[in-house]
Amino acid sequence: MEDDTLSFYEERGAEWAAARSGDHDAAHAQRFAAEAPEGRLLDLGCGPGWHLEHLSSFGHKVCGLEGAETLVRLLGKNNIYLGDMRSMPFSDCSFTGVWANMSYLHLHTNELAAAFLELSRVVSTDGIVEMSFYRGDWDGKGFWKDEFGDRHYTCLTLESLCEYLPDELQVVRDIGDDSVLRVRLLRV
């Protein structure tokens, strides 16, 4: 993640969180939790923790990983870890499911393959992953949906996403819409 993007969340994370509703993508998070194998789930790039409750609603143990210390402090919960999705502080096969809602979109495309390899390391065999990006072809700043400005965005198509995925992460389905690429992956 670019220093400017991480700095944005450190400096303006509380403002960013306050400008949004915790209800966005709640139905997707609940569906993911309902379909996830029994076990431990990770909310990767959990931000202010909007989806933690939805993910735990089906009896899963849930923890979050967030890169911005400001947002981790804002949450004030014990099950939230400060860390980097490119080098996670978890053992191999720690999770039966990973929810990565609009998390990887702040990485450059040249960082995605290594980050997805790291993701495959922490997901158990037959575990599932749901991730989302804005649909399109963009890698840089100045993205039109960035109402705060100066954050890095990567937008992908299903075809371009598949170029970065390791063999261990197989696309099961695209459950997005015209503007959002939302994919379900299976760890094989």
Side-chain angles (χ1 to χ4, degrees), residues 4-65:
D4 291 347
T5 301
L6 187 55
S7 294
F8 166 83
Y9 288 106
E10 291 294 2
E11 295 165 12
R12 298 179 64 193
E15 176 189 356
W16 171 81
R20 286 171 170 58
S21 163
D23 293 337
H24 75 285
D25 296 323
H28 290 293
Q30 289 172 334
R31 186 197 66 249
F32 174 78
E35 296 174 3
E38 185 177 325
R40 190 171 173 212
L41 302 182
L42 173 63
D43 186 349
L44 183 58
C46 65
W50 290 311
H51 300 115
L52 294 169
E53 185 176 327
H54 302 302
L55 295 173
S56 65
S57 63
F58 288 88
H60 298 286
K61 292 181 180 177
V62 178
C63 70
L65 182 70

Side-chain angles (χ1 to χ4, degrees), residues 151-181:
R151 291 180 289 171
H152 179 271
Y153 278 80
T154 292
C155 304
L156 299 173
T157 64
L158 181 58
E159 293 76 23
S160 61
L161 170 67
C162 290
E163 293 175 20
Y164 301 107
L165 291 173
D167 292 341
E168 297 85 6
L169 292 175
Q170 299 290 313
V171 174
V172 176
R173 64 182 185 257
D174 179 352
I175 47 182
D177 56 31
D178 288 344
S179 64
V180 174
L181 173 64

Side-chain angles (χ1 to χ4, degrees), residues 102-147:
M102 298 291 183
S103 303
Y104 286 103
L105 62 78
H106 289 309
L107 295 182
H108 288 270
T109 53
N110 65 5
E111 299 175 291
L112 290 175
F116 292 157
L117 193 59
E118 176 67 357
L119 171 64
S120 71
R121 182 187 67 77
V122 300
V123 180
S124 60
T125 301
D126 295 328
I128 63 172
V129 174
E130 189 164 312
M131 66 172 59
S132 56
F133 290 84
Y134 288 112
R135 196 179 292 271
D137 181 22
W138 183 269
D139 184 18
K141 293 183 180 179
F143 183 55
W144 67 274
K145 288 195 71 96
D146 187 5
E147 69 277 18

